[in-house]
Structure formats: C-alpha cells, structure tokens
C-alpha cells in the first residue's frame, strides 16, 4: 500500500535549490538570497536543510553565508546539481511511503515525475534532470526510486495523508503538459504511484501573475484531514475576485471520502504587489510550508500579515509560525512553498558520493 504523506508528517529535511547567476535571479541575487538565508535560519532550528548548488564554488559561497548567519553546519547537507531555476517544489522528488503489511513501518519511495517548465513556458532540461542527478550521487542512500512519464509539478497537488488529493484540473489536464492523457489516465497513474483514492478536482482559482496556471499551493491547502485553508478576495473590482469566489464555492461543495463537507479557513488577501514592469505578482498566504514543529509563512510587509499569522498560529497551535518576508521571492512569480520540497522521515539523506 502506498501513501502520500501530508506535509505535517515528520520530515527528515527540507530541500532547496539555491539561486545562482544562471537563473532568472541574476539581477536580484542579493535580495533573493537574503530570503533564502532567512528561511534556512528558521528551518534549521527544527531540522536539516538539503541545499542544491550548481558547483563547488557556489556551494562554498552559500556555506559561508549561512555560517555568517549562525546556521550550524551540522544542519546542512549540500549536493551539486545544475538548474534552470530554483522552484524546488516543482522539480524535486515526491516521496511516498510503502507498507508491506498491517502495522509495518512505511518505507520511502522517491518519485521522479517529468517537468517541462510549466507547459514549456521556460527552459527546464536541467531541472528535469535534477532528481536523476541526486540518485546518481547517492544523496538518498539505497532508497527506492521510480520514474513516471506523467508531468506532475509538486505545487499542483496537496495531500491530506489519507488518500485524498486536492488539485486544479487545468494544471494536469493540459495539452502542453500531458498530451494524450485523459482524466482517467491521470487518476490511474496517481493512484498507482501515490496511493490516491479520492480526487478533489477544482475548475477555478487563479492569482494574477501566477504563470503555473493555478497551482493549488497558491490557492488552497489542507490544514488537517477535515479542514482546508484558502485565499480570498473581497474586492469585486479586483480581477482575482471572480475566479477566487468561484473556487470558494467549489471548496464548499467538496466532500471528504466519508461524504462530509470540509471546514474552510479563509485567509486574508494582501494588497496587490507589482513588479518593476507593472506586472501584478501572485502574493498570498496559502503558500506556507510546514516543517517539524513550525510553519514558515510568507509575508509581504502588509497589514494583512498579522491576521494571516494569527489564523495559522491558531490552526497549528503546536507549531511556531515564522514569518518570512517574501517580497523579493514573489518577484519571480512564486513564494515560499514553491521554493522548497519536504523530505519525509525515514529517508536517509547524506552528502553526495562522488
């Protein structure tokens, strides 16, 4: 039996692909690296970080920055992999737990789905090869690996850890991503690979400036197996109002695997943020990341930051909420959750064997 753990499941580490000059961050490196340093400082109070760098020189530079920031080297694991971009959520491995019998501990299996730059919008050949590179280096020891021909970005799915999956239809049923795959084909593959039994497909929901075509991790997230937190937009004049209102209606209509409606936790909306060219940016609070004992929350120096912090702290009373200023990160169209991938407990993670 396979299970895709919820993000609140215990973790071995959090994986990050560090920004470097050969990415779109080349003109904003100082600002975005400051965000990554802040993330790692908070993260490493609770668990290790697996950090991917393009070469040994950049690794040494990053290690020095983190040492200067007071991060213990014992909490850092570095690996080498060239990348087109740094959105680890979408090119990193997705890990399931496989159990052989009742009561048996789940054994991790890493899944390498295809990635093509969100439907061919951006170069992606290096990103798509990252997981194979990590496997070659022995970063995850003798853990089982499987490759799927389905194109699946980690930000496109959210699991309750009990066989239910929340996802937006157009991010998978997309001829630029999965030509020739029907919904039945995709559900069969996700059942076989991830153990999913209950599919919660959404038709609506989009933040302006989001070029992923509506990743669920920007819109709605499981808080527990009965509760979904989601973005809101109260201004009827805002172009995001109608798609988000339609999504909220869909969320109200969803039923869990036992036929019960979900509790919904509406999150506030920050004021619109804009890039230098006037493009609106997809800032929101649903793009939080759960780690052991804490929640990393993207904030935007906005009055709504405090309310989002209060709501999520109340939703996760056993975790400490760490607010991370993500204005620099959202400048390239993603936020905190997009930049990382959790690695569940049970994985052995070690420095590369090269």
């Amino acid at each position: 039996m396979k299970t895709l753990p919820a993000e609140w499941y215990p973790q071995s580490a959090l994986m990050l692909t560090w920004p470097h000059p050969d990415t779109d961050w080349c003109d904003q490196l100082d600002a975005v690296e400051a965000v990554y340093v802040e993330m790692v400082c908070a993260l490493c109070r609770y668990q290790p970080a697996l950090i991917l760098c393009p070469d040994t020189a950049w690794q040494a530079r990053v290690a020095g920055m983190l040492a200067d920031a007071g991060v213990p080297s014992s909490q850092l694991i570095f690996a080498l992999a060239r990348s087109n971009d740094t959105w680890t959520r979408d090119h990193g491995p997705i890990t399931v737990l496989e159990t052989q019998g009742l009561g048996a501990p789940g054994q991790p299996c890493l899944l390498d789905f295809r990635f093509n730059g969100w439907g061919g919008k951006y170069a992606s050949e290096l990103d798509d090869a990252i997981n194979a590179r990590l496997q070659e280096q022995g970063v995850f020891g003798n853990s089982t690996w499987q490759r799927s021909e389905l194109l699946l970005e980690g930000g496109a799915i959210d699991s309750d850890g009990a066989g239910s999956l929340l996802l937006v239809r157009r991010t998978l049923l997309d001829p630029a991503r999965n030509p020739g795959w029907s919904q039945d084909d995709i559900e069969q593959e996700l059942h076989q690979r991830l153990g999913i039994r209950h599919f919660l497909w959404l038709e609506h929901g989009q933040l302006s400036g989001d070029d992923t075509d509506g990743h669920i991790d920007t819109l709605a997230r499981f808080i527990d197996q009965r509760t979904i937190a989601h973005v809101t937009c109260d201004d009827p004049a805002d172009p995001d109002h109608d798609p988000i209102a339609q999504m909220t209606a869909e969320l109200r209509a969803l039923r869990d695997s036992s036929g019960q409606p979900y509790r919904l936790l509406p999150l506030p909306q920050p004021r619109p943020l804009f890039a230098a060219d006037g493009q609106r940016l997809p800032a929101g609070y649903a793009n939080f990341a759960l780690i052991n004992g804490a929640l990393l929350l993207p904030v935007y120096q906005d009055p709504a930051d405090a309310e989002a912090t209060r709501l999520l702290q109340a939703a996760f009373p056993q975790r400490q909420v760490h607010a991370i200023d993500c204005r620099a990160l959202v400048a390239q169209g993603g936020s905190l959750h997009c930049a990382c991938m959790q690695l569940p407990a049970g994985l052995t993670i070690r420095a590369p064997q090269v």
Side-chain angles (χ1 to χ4, degrees):
M1 177 180 177
K2 294 182 179 179
T3 302
L4 177 61
E7 199 166 314
W8 54 80
Y9 185 84
Q11 299 176 19
S12 291
L14 196 71
M15 177 173 150
L16 303 164
T17 306
W18 202 270
H20 56 85
D22 292 330
T23 64
D24 287 344
W25 296 113
C26 57
D27 296 329
Q28 307 167 57
L29 267 179
D30 289 347
V32 76
E33 283 189 297
V35 179
Y36 274 70
V37 169
E38 187 178 358
M39 287 171 58
V40 174
C41 285
L43 162 67
C44 287
R45 293 172 57 181
Y46 302 90
Q47 65 193 60
L50 171 62
I51 297 175
L52 309 188
C53 295
D55 54 44
T56 55
W58 203 251
Q59 175 180 319
R61 179 182 177 280
V62 172
M65 293 174 61
L66 295 174
D68 290 344
V71 179
S73 60
S74 59
Q75 289 288 76
L76 301 174
I77 304 166
F78 287 97
L80 300 180
R82 295 176 62 210
S83 63
N84 302 103
D85 215 327
T86 56
W87 303 114
T88 311
R89 178 65 44 179
D90 294 338
H91 61 239
I94 295 173
T95 309
V96 296
L97 302 178
E98 296 184 301
T99 54
Q100 302 303 317
L102 187 64
Q107 297 300 309
C109 173
L110 296 116
L111 299 171
D112 183 12
F113 290 93
R114 294 175 53 239
F115 176 68
N116 75 344
W118 307 282
K121 296 181 180 74
Y122 305 100
S124 60
E125 69 284 353
L126 297 176
D127 292 345
D128 191 44
I130 283 175
N131 295 327
R133 178 68 179 136
L134 296 178
Q135 183 183 17
E136 290 169 2
Q137 295 178 75
V139 171
F140 298 105
N142 295 321
S143 296
T144 303
W145 282 83
Q146 293 179 4
R147 172 74 169 178
S148 171
E149 288 307 305
L150 180 70
L151 194 147
L152 177 66
E153 300 139 4
I157 58 174
D158 200 62
S159 170
D160 73 345
S164 295
L165 196 69
L166 190 60
L167 62 176
V168 176
R169 191 179 309 275
R170 65 183 176 275
T171 58
L172 280 97
L173 281 162
D174 176 4
R177 287 171 163 94
N178 290 307
W181 289 70
S182 68
Q183 181 171 321
D184 285 345
D185 294 334
I186 291 172
E187 290 189 357
Q188 182 177 355
E189 181 74 357
L190 295 180
H191 171 71
Q192 178 185 346
R193 301 288 188 180
L194 306 180
I196 303 304
R197 301 181 298 279
H198 185 53
F199 292 88
L200 301 165
W201 292 99
L202 298 179
E203 299 287 349
H204 302 285
Q206 178 80 22
L207 295 180
S208 294
D210 170 27
D211 51 13
T212 68
D213 305 303
H215 269 187
I216 196 65
D217 72 343
T218 68
L219 300 170
R221 304 283 304 285
F222 281 112
I223 293 291
D224 56 41
Q225 291 175 6
R226 295 280 301 110
T227 310
I228 298 172
H230 65 92
V231 299
T232 58
C233 180
D234 296 330
D235 180 3
D238 191 314
D240 289 353
H241 178 271
D242 288 353
I244 291 176
Q246 291 170 315
M247 178 197 72
T248 303
E250 287 186 283
L251 291 172
R252 291 194 186 106
L254 291 179
R255 295 297 180 265
D256 66 17
S257 57
S258 64
Q260 298 301 307
Y262 287 97
R263 295 185 292 262
L264 299 184
L265 176 63
L267 298 173
Q269 180 190 34
R271 294 169 300 188
L273 285 176
F274 296 91
D277 63 0
Q279 171 70 47
R280 185 166 170 181
L281 301 172
Y285 299 110
N287 208 245
F288 59 83
L290 293 171
I291 59 173
N292 295 337
L295 181 151
L296 305 181
L297 176 66
V299 295
Y300 308 97
Q301 295 299 300
D302 187 274
D305 293 349
E307 178 65 3
T309 301
R310 185 190 69 79
L311 288 169
L312 288 167
Q313 185 64 80
F316 292 97
Q318 304 305 314
R319 297 175 187 267
Q320 178 65 46
V321 174
H322 290 271
I324 309 292
D325 185 344
C326 286
R327 287 175 296 170
L329 193 57
V330 81
Q332 286 292 338
S335 199
L336 195 150
H337 190 256
C338 305
C340 61
M341 174 57 82
Q342 74 274 5
L343 301 168
L347 280 171
T348 298
I349 305 171
R350 61 193 185 192
Q353 307 298 301
V354 293

